[in-house]
Amino acid sequence: MEIDDPRTPTTGPRTTPTASDPQATSTASDPQATPAGPDPQAPPTGPGPGTEFAGSALTLAGLAADAWSLTEDTPRAVLGLAGPPGAGKSTLARALVAHLGEGAAYLPLDGFHLSNAQLERLGLTARKGSEPSFDVWGYVDLLRRVLDETVRDIYVPDYDRTLHEPVAARHLVPPAARLVVTEGNYLACDLPGWRDAYVLMGECWYVEAPGGVRQERLVERQLAGGRDEAQARDWVATNDDPNGQLVEKSRDRCHRILSTTGLPLGLPLGPPGIGMDPSRF
């Protein structure tokens, strides 16, 4: 995992960050140390270029430790992973949850895709996956429930790449979950609805990968979904690429910048349609 230039977010999320506090540099060599947090009344700021993070920040274990630090002084926290299509958000989110065990849960934005019937009604069939093709207010409401209702099971929808439709209740946030990892393209966008989601996150990390790597992943995803080579490349060029350009504008709002290229996450990938498939990274 490479860490590029972490940026200062322009808007502070709900929970004051700790792992990304510049004061954490003094504890970077000690994974057990608890980094000092900033003034809770002040807007959170990201570290400057080259700043180290608490824990072994270049490993999955280190990232998981930093994510878990968001749960300090709160019953439950939400970590957001934003980034363009094909960057590796789903893979990283699932790997973090698997590493942390029953104390963490997964909440993908993909579950809030509008149905094909609604996309047709809105004239968005050819732009499936674009910013307006998601039920952002339903997503915000579920994030609020996750933070407010910590004593009961909360069911989480997902997107099924065999049915090509959202499906209800594939995932679960149980009462034992202290950290909920949510991921999706638009989580840090400074747009109506997405701003409301962003402020509910303890931190939002930006996940990226080189353009050529993302292109290859995205084409593979479309081939796995049943398109031929020409159709797959056309879909990426006319849909995924414009979506990615919008998402890239939100990069500076995130607390840290991560690249998944070359990181062995140790996550077994399930068959297509069961949460994730080999092209879904």
Side-chain angles (χ1 to χ4, degrees), residues 16 25 47 80 104 117 142 147 150 155 162 176 185 195 212 225 234 241 246 278:
T16 301
T25 57
L142 187 59
L147 290 170
T150 58
Y155 296 101
T162 299
N185 294 343
R195 286 190 290 264
D234 180 69
D241 286 349
L246 172 63

Side-chain angles (χ1 to χ4, degrees), residues 42-102:
T45 57
T51 301
E52 291 293 330
F53 296 86
S56 302
L58 299 181
T59 68
L60 177 60
L63 291 171
D66 288 345
W68 187 255
S69 73
L70 299 176
T71 65
E72 295 174 5
D73 303 320
T74 185
R76 179 177 286 160
V78 174
L79 169 65
L81 301 179
K89 302 179 297 295
S90 299
T91 298
L92 178 57
R94 289 166 59 92
L96 287 170
V97 170
H99 185 87
L100 290 168
E102 63 182 17

Side-chain angles (χ1 to χ4, degrees), residues 177-256:
R178 296 277 317 284
L179 179 71
V180 174
V181 182
T182 185
E183 53 81 18
N185 294 343
Y186 308 106
L187 272 53
C189 285
D190 190 12
L191 295 169
W194 306 106
R195 286 190 290 264
D196 298 75
Y198 177 82
V199 298
L200 297 173
M201 301 170 197
E203 286 190 0
C204 189
W205 299 352
Y206 190 88
V207 182
E208 61 184 16
V213 173
R214 291 199 304 106
Q215 288 286 320
E216 181 180 349
R217 293 171 176 176
L218 292 169
V219 170
E220 288 179 359
R221 181 185 300 179
Q222 296 306 317
L223 292 173
R227 288 185 167 91
D228 62 28
E229 181 83 14
Q231 292 171 331
R233 294 193 178 280
D234 180 69
W235 180 268
V236 171
T238 60
N239 200 51
D240 289 326
D241 286 349
N243 296 343
Q245 291 167 9
L246 172 63
V247 172
E248 286 167 2
K249 296 178 182 178
S250 70
R251 190 178 189 268
D252 289 349
R253 286 169 53 81
C254 296
H255 293 81
R256 62 197 295 183

